[in-house]
Amino acid sequence: GRARPSHSEPRGRDGRGEQEEMEGWHQLYPGHIPTSPLQKALLAAGSAVMALYDPYRHDMVAVLGETTGCLALPSLRDKMKNHPEGYRILQERPRIRLSTLDMARLQGLPDGSLGREYVRFLEDNKVSPDTRMPPKFVDDEELAYVIRRYREVHDLMHTLLGMPTNMLGEVVVKWFEAIQTGLPMCVLGAAFGPARLSTRKLQVLATELVPWAVRSGLNASCVLNVYYEQRWEQPVESLREELGIFPPP
């Protein structure tokens, strides 16, 4: 809700506290940092340079996604609102965190199920869903959840696409996500990520993986409209077929 000034706080000319004027009258969600269009542009430029220099700087990638997603995020939100399962996700706001996952149950699911393969992906690549950065610079609470959800299902995209977390795998996933989401951050990663690959990997990427990722991204329904937490027992192949993702080459 709206912040209330303290009676002991110095007042600005418009009746608001000076501290509030500096920090912004609204804190739309925990951790939100209000920024002007100029500040967003500077953050976007700086984070883009750092992300290109070191693609594993996930904090810079996160800032880039938030400061450049002003057109893509509303579009994604609308896709979710117009889909029954996506609308439920927006209403219920599920989170994918270690605190919300029953890891023992997921580990006990049959091989090939979404839950078992997701846990296998986390274990094999030594990653955790808790490393995803919370949103800070999105000036709309609902859109902040949309980009949070995108981040938290990113590892599920790796699982569905059968891609590891090395540079080749990340580039392939970014091509798929760029088509799916339209986020400039994904487009940038897809375009410039290959610069760090060897000649042999570039050949495989160009002739096999990118064409497959693009076709799958165009053919698939919106991946944010899947309530993954209620699909753990579904076979990965079945979910791929349902979404329209072609089998990995």
Side-chain angles (χ1 to χ4, degrees):
R2 184 181 293 272
R4 299 296 182 189
S6 166
H7 291 297
S8 62
E9 208 174 59
R11 311 291 291 186
R13 284 178 305 204
D14 61 355
R16 291 185 294 175
E18 292 178 4
Q19 185 67 22
E20 284 183 309
E21 290 182 16
M22 288 189 295
E23 296 181 357
W25 187 239
H26 289 283
Q27 187 181 43
L28 299 176
Y29 49 87
H32 172 238
I33 301 175
T35 47
S36 68
L38 176 59
Q39 288 172 319
K40 280 186 172 60
L42 292 173
L43 284 167
S47 59
V49 170
M50 289 303 299
L52 288 172
Y53 177 75
D54 182 1
Y56 290 104
R57 280 292 302 271
H58 299 301
D59 54 340
M60 293 294 97
V61 174
V63 172
L64 181 61
E66 293 177 34
T67 54
T68 60
C70 55
L71 297 178
L73 289 176
S75 176
L76 286 170
R77 187 257 318 271
D78 292 346
K79 288 180 181 179
M80 295 179 74
K81 281 188 170 181
N82 292 323
H83 185 277
E85 202 164 335
Y87 182 75
R88 282 185 53 226
I89 293 168
L90 282 178
Q91 294 300 304
E92 298 177 13
R93 305 289 178 89
R95 297 290 310 281
I96 298 179
R97 309 275 296 171
L98 289 178
S99 60
T100 65
L101 295 173
D102 186 344
M103 298 296 286
R105 173 177 170 263
L106 297 183
Q107 288 171 335
L109 290 174
D111 289 343
S113 63
L114 177 65
R116 182 67 191 95
E117 297 310 316
Y118 173 62
V119 171
R120 194 190 312 279
F121 169 84
L122 297 179
E123 294 171 342
D124 289 350
N125 294 279
K126 296 179 174 58
V127 294
S128 165
D130 287 0
T131 59
R132 299 299 168 192
M133 298 286 293
K136 295 179 181 179
F137 302 109
V138 179
D139 295 329
D140 181 285
E141 187 271 338
E142 193 171 49
L143 296 182
Y145 175 76
V146 171
I147 199 163
R148 184 193 293 271
R149 183 67 173 175
Y150 156 74
R151 289 174 185 164
E152 291 186 356
V153 303
H154 175 75
D155 289 335
L156 283 158
M157 295 305 97
H158 276 273
T159 304
L160 284 172
L161 297 172
M163 290 293 129
T165 57
N166 59 23
M167 186 56 64
L168 180 62
E170 289 291 353
V171 169
V172 174
V173 172
K174 279 292 177 283
W175 273 97
F176 178 83
E177 290 179 339
I179 300 295
Q180 275 276 307
T181 68
L183 286 166
M185 169 200 67
C186 297
V187 175
L188 193 68
F192 291 97
R196 293 174 175 265
L197 297 176
S198 67
T199 302
R200 183 180 62 82
K201 289 182 179 179
L202 280 173
Q203 184 177 3
V204 174
L205 185 72
T207 59
E208 296 182 35
L209 295 176
V210 166
W212 163 73
V214 170
R215 285 193 303 115
S216 290
L218 291 171
N219 189 63
S221 55
C222 180
V223 293
L224 292 185
N225 286 336
V226 179
Y227 211 137
Y228 295 97
E229 296 89 336
Q230 299 179 356
R231 306 287 199 104
W232 294 131
E233 297 180 5
Q234 184 173 356
V236 169
E237 290 185 7
S238 169
L239 185 53
R240 281 181 189 145
E241 185 176 348
E242 178 185 332
L243 288 171
I245 297 173
F246 299 112

